[in-house]
């Protein structure tokens, strides 16, 4: 009888053992921070598949899905009644997170939360204007009372009240942009981080913009705040990485939402902008939501302090 199949089996066995040996020495169940998956089940399956040489085939799907699972996690997403925030809330709810739906408009929060619940998700409406300190405090306090500490914070809501020459911006518009786009994100982070420290970790995602990577005249102050958001996540990453708290940003190009409507509602203008993107189309909110999900979950467990550019290939296009 040919010894080939045995040699083949032995090669797989050795490869699997070497692969396992090259991984950190912690047991598989502790490598990721998903308390809801019974460790014994993972260890047994890992052992069985390693012994049988089928490790590559059998374990992968469930383990990969587990990296994205947010069961038992509470996710607070600001500005989640529409656009990128809503799409992100839907993605996190689909991954089993308890999501908080928030914006300035109470009826919208109720409606969107009800729609997510109808689709099988767990959503709680908590309205708040993030430019007001007392409402920010209420937002986190009510979340903690209803759902426990925040595991995932998505700082998504932002404003851009002025479009015009950079240095001509009125003081009140300048202060509002700084207050909503930077200060509120800092305050939210400051408020949720103690709970994350107690829980053994957490994830913060800040929605920045590609506007923050280039000089800008007409969108100058908005761009300034979006550049600051990229620095905010670097600072948070450095300060709280030791507590297993990750902070990352996402910098989208033009996404078809109400916020950017003026830039894409004219068909000819939208076509011209799309032409400057390698993928030849503008973004949709779901194009950003997948990255929020990745950064919020254990799939992004070793990523912190970065701002992901999601721009349809604009920044690499000649
Ligand atoms: N769309 C783009 O092309 C684009 C590109 C790059 C970056 N971004 C960034 O993406 C994020 C989301 O924008 P979007 O395009 O998805 O906007 P959107 O569709 O207009 O949604 C904005 C959300 O934020 C809420 N909101 C606005 N001001 C608020 C405040 N002071 N307090 C609490 N909630 C507030 C809005 O609800 P209410 O009005 O009812 O409060 C809404 O739920 C922003 O940070 C934006 O800078 C967008």
């Amino acid at each position: 009888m040919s010894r080939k199949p045995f040699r083949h089996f032995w090669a797989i066995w050795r490869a699997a053992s070497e692969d396992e040996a090259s991984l950190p020495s912690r047991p598989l169940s502790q490598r990721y921070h998903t308390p809801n998956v019974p460790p014994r089940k993972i260890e047994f399956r890992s052992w069985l598949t390693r012994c049988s040489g089928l490790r590559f085939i059998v374990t992968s799907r469930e383990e990969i899905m587990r990296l994205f699972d947010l069961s038992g996690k509470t996710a607070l997403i600001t500005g989640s009644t529409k656009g990128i925030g809503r799409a992100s809330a839907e993605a996190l709810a689909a991954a089993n997170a308890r999501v908080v739906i928030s914006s300035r408009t109470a009826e919208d929060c109720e409606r969107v939360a009800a729609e997510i619940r109808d689709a099988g998700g767990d959503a709680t409406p908590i309205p708040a204007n993030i430019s007001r300190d007392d409402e920010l405090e209420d937002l986190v306090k009510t979340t903690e009372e209803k759902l426990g500490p925040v595991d995932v914070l998505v700082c998504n809501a932002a404003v851009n009240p002025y479009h015009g020459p950079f240095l001509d911006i009125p003081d009140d518009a300048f202060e509002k942009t700084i207050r909503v786009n930077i200060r509120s994100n800092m305050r939210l982070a400051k408020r949720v981080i103690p709970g994350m420290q107690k829980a053994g970790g957490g994830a913060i995602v800040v929605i920045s913009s590609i506007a923050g990577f280039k000089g800008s005249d007409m969108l100058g102050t908005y761009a300034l705040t979006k550049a600051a958001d990229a620095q905010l996540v670097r600072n948070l990453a450095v300060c709280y990485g030791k507590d297993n708290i990750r902070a990352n940003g996402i910098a989208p190009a033009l996404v078809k939402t109400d916020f950017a409507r003026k830039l894409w509602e004219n068909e000819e203008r939208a076509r011209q902008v799309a032409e400057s993107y390698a993928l030849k189309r503008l973004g949709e909110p779901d194009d950003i939501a997948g990255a929020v999900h990745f950064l919020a979950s254990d799939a992004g467990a070793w990523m912190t302090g970065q701002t992901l550019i999601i721009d349809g290939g604009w920044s690499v296009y000649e």
Side-chain angles (χ1 to χ4, degrees):
M1 191 180 126
S2 160
R3 291 174 59 85
K4 238 180 168 181
F6 290 105
R7 247 186 266 142
H8 184 62
F9 177 81
W10 180 236
I12 293 177
W13 168 279
R14 274 204 0 228
S17 311
E18 279 162 20
D19 178 38
E20 193 64 19
S22 71
L23 291 168
S25 53
R26 275 177 297 155
L28 193 67
S29 57
Q30 288 171 19
R31 266 182 224 146
Y32 309 109
H33 315 282
T34 42
N36 300 313
V37 182
R40 272 170 181 280
K41 195 177 151 200
I42 301 167
E43 293 306 334
F44 176 70
R45 201 203 37 226
S46 170
W47 174 82
L48 187 70
T49 51
R50 228 168 35 230
C51 291
S52 66
L54 291 174
R55 174 185 160 78
F56 302 116
I57 304 162
V58 183
T59 59
S60 54
R61 189 170 185 277
E62 203 177 317
E63 280 172 16
I64 292 296
M65 296 314 289
R66 194 163 56 83
L67 292 178
F68 288 92
D69 185 35
L70 292 169
S71 297
K73 306 281 185 196
T74 295
L76 194 172
I77 306 109
T78 63
S80 40
T81 54
K82 53 186 178 171
I84 293 168
R86 176 173 178 158
S88 302
E90 285 174 356
L92 301 188
N96 302 321
R98 298 181 291 260
V99 297
V100 172
I101 301 301
S102 188
S103 84
R104 290 169 297 187
T105 319
E107 311 84 72
D108 288 353
C109 296
E110 297 282 350
R111 178 180 48 78
V112 171
E115 284 169 9
I116 291 177
R117 284 197 301 272
D118 287 349
D122 184 333
T124 304
I126 309 179
N129 182 340
I130 63 164
S131 71
R132 300 190 183 137
D133 291 350
D134 55 338
E135 293 190 28
L136 272 185
E137 172 54 29
D138 276 356
L139 173 60
V140 180
K141 195 163 167 265
T142 312
T143 301
E144 288 172 342
E145 281 165 7
K146 290 190 173 176
L147 305 171
V150 175
D151 301 291
V152 174
L153 168 67
V154 183
C155 296
N156 165 74
V159 294
N160 180 31
Y162 171 77
H163 189 258
F166 177 45
L167 291 180
D168 292 347
I169 186 169
D171 283 351
D172 57 345
F174 182 81
E175 272 148 29
K176 182 176 180 184
T177 315
I178 300 285
R179 191 176 180 90
V180 176
N181 298 6
I182 310 175
R183 187 174 179 272
S184 67
N185 293 347
M186 264 187 79
R187 286 188 82 91
L188 273 173
K190 187 174 176 180
R191 184 59 182 75
V192 303
I193 279 171
M196 290 178 172
Q197 285 170 316
K198 266 192 210 145
I204 297 173
V205 182
V206 179
I207 307 299
S208 170
S209 167
I210 54 158
F213 288 89
K214 286 209 169 180
S216 175
D217 188 15
M218 303 305 271
L219 290 174
T221 302
Y222 173 75
L224 192 69
T225 62
K226 292 297 173 175
D229 280 338
Q231 184 61 28
L232 173 64
V233 298
R234 285 190 285 267
N235 293 350
L236 293 174
V238 166
C239 298
Y240 300 103
K242 62 181 183 323
D243 299 317
N244 191 32
I245 296 169
R246 298 179 296 104
N248 290 288
I250 294 175
L254 186 53
V255 179
K256 290 172 87 175
T257 66
D258 285 348
F259 184 78
R261 184 170 288 281
K262 279 206 177 83
L263 302 174
W264 58 264
E265 67 185 351
N266 176 310
E267 266 181 41
E268 180 49 24
R269 184 168 158 71
R271 200 192 54 74
Q272 281 171 7
V273 176
E275 200 50 42
S276 68
Y277 295 179
L279 290 173
K280 304 296 174 197
R281 69 171 176 86
L282 302 185
E284 299 290 340
D286 283 343
D287 291 322
I288 309 302
V292 172
H293 182 186
F294 162 70
L295 293 172
S297 66
D298 282 341
W302 206 48
M303 181 158 171
T304 195
Q306 306 302 313
T307 293
L308 264 182
I309 294 177
I310 305 182
D311 64 354
W314 172 76
S315 53
V316 297
Y317 197 62
E318 277 191 318

